[in-house]
Amino acid sequence: MGIKSPSEYVDFFINLNMGENVSLLSFINNEKNVLKKNLELKNINKEPIKKGIEILELLVREINENGEKAVLGKYQK
């Protein structure tokens, strides 16, 4: 897993350019589901996946507290 910070997740989301139909929160929830499924795989290093889930959960908390626009503005490069 190459994403190591909240700003990298936000940048990745923005660069996907999915338009206004997909919210950051929706993207984050989908990413968390994928990472949780990857934890079930046997022969992989689980620490980067756990770190990714922690980062995504941090972003969810920030979105719930401050709103999606604020989070996008905070982490946009």
Side-chain angles (χ1 to χ4, degrees):
M1 184 176 132
I3 297 177
K4 297 178 175 115
S5 71
S7 60
E8 288 180 13
Y9 264 112
V10 171
D11 193 43
F12 179 62
F13 169 74
I14 291 168
N15 287 331
L16 287 175
N17 198 18
M18 293 184 282
E20 295 181 20
N21 295 330
V22 178
S23 69
L24 177 60
L25 186 58
S26 174
F27 169 76
I28 289 170
N29 286 326
N30 287 333
E31 284 291 304
K32 271 188 6 184
N33 287 334
V34 169
L35 291 179
K36 286 180 180 181
K37 288 189 186 290
N38 286 341
L39 281 176
E40 298 171 7
L41 300 174
K42 290 183 181 182
N43 297 325
I44 61 169
N45 183 0
K46 295 182 184 343
E47 289 309 310
I49 295 171
K50 290 177 183 177
K51 178 68 175 165
I53 292 170
E54 289 175 16
I55 292 169
L56 292 169
E57 289 173 347
L58 168 76
L59 285 169
V60 168
R61 281 192 303 274
E62 287 189 27
I63 290 170
N64 289 333
E65 292 172 3
N66 304 317
E68 190 167 311
K69 284 186 180 184
V71 172
L72 285 168
K74 177 180 178 181
Y75 291 109
Q76 248 178 329
K77 291 181 179 179

